[in-house]
Structures are given as C-alpha cells and as structure tokens.
Amino acid sequence: MVIHGELGGGFIETYLGITIPAIYLQYEMASPIEKDFKIICEVPGNVFGTGGENIIKLIGKLTDIKEYYESMYILIENLDKSIQFQLYECSFGFKPSIELINFSGELYEDILLKIDPEPERDEQCSSNKILGVYIYSFNSGSLKKIFDSQTFNYSFDGVVLYENNYKVQVVMKTGNSFILDVKDSQNLNQIYQGSGRIIGTRFGQVMALGKIEF
C-alpha cells in the first residue's frame, strides 16, 4: 500500500479520510556521541526554517545482528545550538535511514525516518515484516511526530469484499467505505469469470503500509 498525505491543523490527513493526531515531543541539548554508538547516516538540510543549514544525524548502537540497530536517536547540528531527541517506540530496527522531505509545505524540511522490514532469520525468532515510517517536524516551532505508520496501520485496518463486474468494496475500521475498480489488475482469473462475474464469495483484508511516496 502507498500513502500520500498533507498536514493541516496539527493533524495528518490521508487521502482515505483517516486522521492521525500529531504528537508533541521533547528535545534536549546535544551530548557527545557515546563510545558504543555510531552515526548510521546523516543528511544536510534546513529543518528549523531559519535559513541556516543543519546536519541531521541518525545515531544508534549496532547489535549482534547485521544492520540491526537499537537505542537510536536523532541529532541535529546547528551553528547556534545542537539538539537531540529520542525515538522511543521506534528506536530500534533493521536498516534504518533518514531523509528530508517537504511534507508540511513550509520553508523548512521534515525528517523522515524509515525502518525496513526484517528479513527471516530462523524459526525460533520472529521478524517484524512491516515497513516502519515516521515523520518529525518543527511545524509551528515545536517538535512533533506528524506521521506514525504503526498508528496508520491500526487505523487503516479493514475488510475487502469482491463484487461482480470487477468491483471491490473496502470497508474501513473507521466506518469509511470505498468501491474500487480492479479490472486492470493481474491474476483475476481465479476470482472472476471472463464476463466479470465473481466465482463464489471472496473476502480479503487491507494490508499494512508497504511503501511511501512524496
């Protein structure tokens, strides 16, 4: 699933009508990077809208699992002062990365944190197979988390019902419902006859966020 969105009034509103509230976060003056931590990646940009360039760094501790980090936080270096903030529930994961995007539609940029789905390791250890996407913004001068894929996936839960004439009805957990035309989709011969009539009753489920575009 692909998500697009826009920020308005402190809320993130998706194109499917689901509204996710922004969460205010605290930040602190930056401290020296500790010995066991490393810079995972860094990007230049302007996240404060003050005209000066910042360096945004994702910091974390590498675990025994290749490319899996824990205790991650974001450090923002500025000429006047440098700050850092904790990532809390999204402070660990596989192949984490950050980039800057113009999501709020303002002069400054927003910070996008992405955590890839984990690869299969072994039968004894379960893996997180869902893409993690989080967006942080200094909208209105305060630090906010304005998008959280975990919250979005929970809100986006729903049931899919296949209907005749290549139509699919999607009923969301929020109460919203949509009719989609899937006649141009592939592999429909197991669901529909050539006339477009459905072969028996078919149900499905809305899948979690798998891709994000801006």
Side-chain angles (χ1 to χ4, degrees):
M1 178 174 300
V2 180
I3 180 67
H4 303 262
E6 59 184 21
L7 181 67
F11 290 80
I12 176 70
E13 298 183 357
T14 76
Y15 71 111
L16 290 176
I18 298 171
T19 303
I20 300 174
I23 298 176
Y24 286 88
L25 299 175
Q26 298 292 325
Y27 60 85
E28 58 189 6
M29 299 300 294
S31 303
I33 300 174
E34 296 182 20
K35 181 179 178 181
D36 294 336
F37 287 74
K38 63 173 292 186
I39 299 173
I40 303 170
C41 59
E42 61 180 78
V43 290
N46 182 2
V47 298
F48 296 120
T50 56
E53 185 175 85
N54 317 125
I55 302 296
I56 297 85
K57 299 180 179 181
L58 179 62
I59 312 295
K61 183 188 296 185
L62 184 62
T63 67
D64 294 335
I65 302 171
K66 184 179 180 181
E67 298 184 289
Y68 191 95
Y69 292 85
E70 63 182 10
S71 303
M72 294 190 299
Y73 64 93
I74 288 178
L75 170 66
I76 303 175
E77 294 183 347
N78 192 33
L79 289 177
D80 298 329
K81 63 178 181 179
S82 296
I83 65 170
Q84 64 187 43
F85 62 92
Q86 302 299 319
L87 299 175
Y88 299 106
E89 73 278 1
C90 50
S91 64
F92 54 90
F94 178 71
K95 277 190 176 179
S97 62
I98 55 172
E99 62 181 279
L100 300 184
I101 58 174
N102 187 8
F103 193 67
S104 299
E106 302 291 343
L107 294 177
Y108 56 83
E109 296 168 293
D110 304 306
I111 303 170
L112 169 68
L113 168 66
K114 186 176 72 170
I115 300 175
D116 282 1
E118 298 173 25
E120 292 287 350
R121 296 198 289 271
D122 55 58
E123 296 180 356
Q124 304 297 324
C125 187
S126 61
S127 299
N128 180 11
K129 301 179 180 63
I130 299 176
L131 176 70
V133 177
Y134 311 89
I135 302 176
Y136 302 89
S137 174
F138 282 90
N139 179 270
S140 73
S142 300
L143 175 62
K144 301 176 186 176
K145 180 169 65 173
I146 60 174
F147 183 81
D148 181 330
S149 58
Q150 295 182 38
T151 303
F152 176 80
N153 287 335
Y154 176 79
S155 302
F156 200 82
D157 191 21
V159 176
V160 176
L161 174 63
Y162 290 86
E163 300 177 345
N164 290 326
N165 300 316
Y166 302 106
K167 303 297 183 184
V168 173
Q169 182 180 19
V170 182
V171 181
M172 307 303 301
K173 184 177 182 178
T174 58
N176 295 7
S177 62
F178 310 89
I179 300 293
L180 305 177
D181 189 330
V182 297
K183 64 183 177 182
D184 294 327
S185 301
Q186 299 179 349
N187 303 320
L188 294 178
N189 58 335
Q190 297 180 357
I191 302 175
Y192 291 99
Q193 300 175 9
S195 62
R197 186 173 181 81
I198 194 169
I199 304 173
T201 303
R202 297 296 182 105
F203 293 92
Q205 187 175 7
V206 177
M207 297 179 65
L209 179 67
K211 184 179 181 182
I212 188 162
E213 294 180 350
F214 299 97

